[in-house]
Amino acid sequence: PPAVAATGVSKVYGSGDAAVRALHEVSVGFARGAFTAIMGPSGSGKSTLMHCLAGLDTVTAGRIVLGDAEITGMGDRQLTMLRRDRVGFVFQAFNLLPTLTAEQNILLPLELAGRKPDRAWLDQVVDVVGLRDRLGHRPSELSGGQQQRVACARALVARPEVIFADEPTGNLDSRAGAEVLGFLRASVREMGRTIVMVTHDPVAASYADRVVFLRDGVITSELLRPTPDAVL
Ligand code: ADP
Ligand code: ADP
């Protein structure tokens, strides 16, 4: 089974004359151990789909299954636990805590879940992300690219079933963006993670194994092993 899947998912914001149909009967699965990009023009429903898949938002119709759990129908408390224990997030704005060091930020999800860090795993995460000599630094002492790599390591450290990344390179120059994307790809290849990334950047999407295209709340096409030219 896929790591996370939507079946017949529709999402309507508001009601009556003000209703906005953001997703229309979307069915899509995201394979375990794969890096998938969701692309589409602004307003096509990318963020809404990601938020529904990740249990950040509820669907109007249809089902979302994450791992062995049907999350549609879960209450707020269950969804909060699901996000804490089984999902990792990387956002465009790095969302690090400014008073904590890089290492403390990375370890935060484990701390919140009351779990002990697995040293060998933490070492692997830190090495793959290339932050060994920056662990004691606060976010303000790190470049944007380094901050986003800390955020990626934080998303990874609790070994979530799926990592959701929303425009992870949106605030980075192309070199820093390439480092972050290289790390995301390495975490899939070398660490067996599953990533679903929303982006409008064809170069970013070309790092993925598969690209799913959305338009007006509908999946219009897919591409396997994308190149930047093919994505454009
Ligand atoms: P994308 O991420 O592709 O830019 P979104 O998922 O953010 O698209 O938005 C899809 C549509 O839903 C857009 O028309 C957007 O304006 C609308 N939308 C998104 N979030 C909300 C919300 N909280 N309330 C009302 N409309 C929303
Ligand atoms: P996008 O991916 O289109 O750039 P953002 O990530 O900037 O969207 O959206 C930020 C937040 O605003 C999201 O939680 C989204 O659901 C919400 N949002 C987007 N469009 C609208 C809208 N038209 N009305 C209310 N909230 C919206």
Side-chain angles (χ1 to χ4, degrees):
V4 60
T7 308
V9 165
S10 296
K11 175 70 180 180
V12 178
Y13 291 107
S15 60
D17 287 348
V20 175
R21 195 178 72 176
L23 296 175
H24 184 64
E25 292 176 11
V26 169
S27 294
V28 60
F30 298 89
R32 245 171 252 286
F35 183 4
T36 309
I38 301 173
M39 288 195 82
S42 186
S44 58
K46 303 182 296 297
S47 296
T48 300
L49 177 58
M50 198 197 86
H51 290 174
C52 290
L53 290 168
L56 287 165
D57 204 347
T58 57
V59 305
T60 308
R63 304 169 62 205
I64 306 282
V65 175
L66 196 147
D68 58 4
E70 167 142 15
I71 71 172
T72 25
M74 279 188 181
D76 284 346
R77 275 195 50 208
Q78 270 179 301
L79 284 175
T80 302
M81 276 170 53
L82 175 110
R83 290 195 301 265
R84 190 191 70 191
D85 297 337
R86 300 173 66 170
V87 170
F89 292 99
V90 178
F91 298 101
Q92 179 169 347
F94 322 124
N95 292 0
L96 301 177
L97 292 182
T99 59
L100 300 185
T101 65
E103 182 169 29
Q104 289 166 334
N105 268 288
I106 292 170
L107 289 173
L108 199 59
L110 290 174
E111 200 127 308
L112 292 176
R115 284 161 59 188
K116 284 239 170 345
D118 170 348
R119 269 290 142 189
W121 173 253
L122 183 64
D123 277 349
Q124 197 186 349
V125 171
V126 167
D127 283 339
V128 171
V129 87
L131 288 166
R132 175 72 52 204
D133 57 345
R134 292 285 187 280
L135 286 178
H137 290 57
R138 294 214 162 73
S140 60
E141 300 164 326
L142 299 173
S143 69
Q146 289 167 345
Q147 289 182 59
Q148 192 64 307
R149 283 185 283 140
V150 171
C152 290
R154 178 183 58 183
L156 192 64
V157 75
R159 301 179 198 250
E161 289 175 47
V162 187
I163 295 171
F164 293 98
D166 195 353
E167 299 280 7
T169 59
N171 281 338
L172 302 177
D173 63 35
S174 55
R175 186 163 155 269
E179 284 172 7
V180 166
L181 290 160
F183 166 68
L184 290 175
R185 189 161 63 185
S187 72
V188 171
R189 297 274 187 283
E190 296 166 29
M191 304 163 99
R193 299 296 97 189
T194 303
I195 299 181
V196 177
M197 172 178 73
V198 163
T199 186
H200 64 258
D201 176 5
V203 174
S206 71
Y207 281 75
D209 303 309
R210 172 188 176 216
V211 183
V212 172
F213 295 91
L214 266 183
R215 176 176 285 271
D216 297 333
V218 174
I219 292 178
T220 53
S221 60
E222 294 197 15
L223 200 58
L224 293 178
R225 288 176 291 282
T227 61
D229 285 347
V231 175
L232 270 170

